[in-house]
Amino acid sequence: MRVTTALLSATALLSTTVSAAISIGTIAGTNGVTYNVAWTTGTSDPCNQDTKFLSTFPANPCGHSFQLGNDAGLTLEGCGGPLWINQNGRFKDNCVSAENLDKPCGSGSFWSGNLHKTFQCPG
């Protein structure tokens, strides 16, 4: 019985995945175009190529599939109301207004312009 309990506990630990938080915001590009973007919070520089394009502002950023790290099939949902993230059509996380982050992305970065964070979706 102890072996079974130990195996069940180990299996539960292995099947639990911890996701990083997702940030949502805009980048006002030096080319005069503003982009709606998403990036993994705190694990990489949001000015690099890991930040994913959702749409050109002011177009709706919801419903566009993107991948962050190993998390594929992500979509931002709920534009026009409370936002949330789906993964492969299933609810993943609610998004909340975030403490604004304004960061310049220099000309040597993948994204060039001023980044503005507006929402965070806890992992």
Side-chain angles (χ1 to χ4, degrees), residues 14-59:
L14 289 174
S15 66
T16 303
T17 58
V18 177
S19 297
I22 297 171
S23 293
I24 306 294
T26 58
I27 294 179
T30 56
N31 60 359
V33 178
T34 299
Y35 306 96
N36 292 306
V37 293
W39 66 93
T40 304
T41 307
T43 60
S44 63
D45 179 355
C47 295
N48 74 18
Q49 68 269 18
D50 295 333
T51 294
K52 302 303 179 187
F53 170 83
L54 300 177
S55 68
T56 303
F57 182 84

Side-chain angles (χ1 to χ4, degrees), residues 71-118:
D71 285 331
L74 299 170
T75 57
L76 179 65
E77 303 294 337
C79 289
L83 297 177
W84 71 91
I85 298 285
N86 277 353
Q87 185 169 22
N88 300 318
R90 293 191 161 148
F91 175 82
K92 179 175 173 57
D93 284 309
N94 283 311
C95 301
V96 296
S97 291
E99 180 179 322
N100 289 336
L101 164 77
D102 289 310
K103 175 183 172 111
C105 295
S107 60
S109 302
F110 181 81
W111 293 97
S112 183
N114 293 314
L115 177 117
H116 180 73
K117 176 180 173 181
T118 51

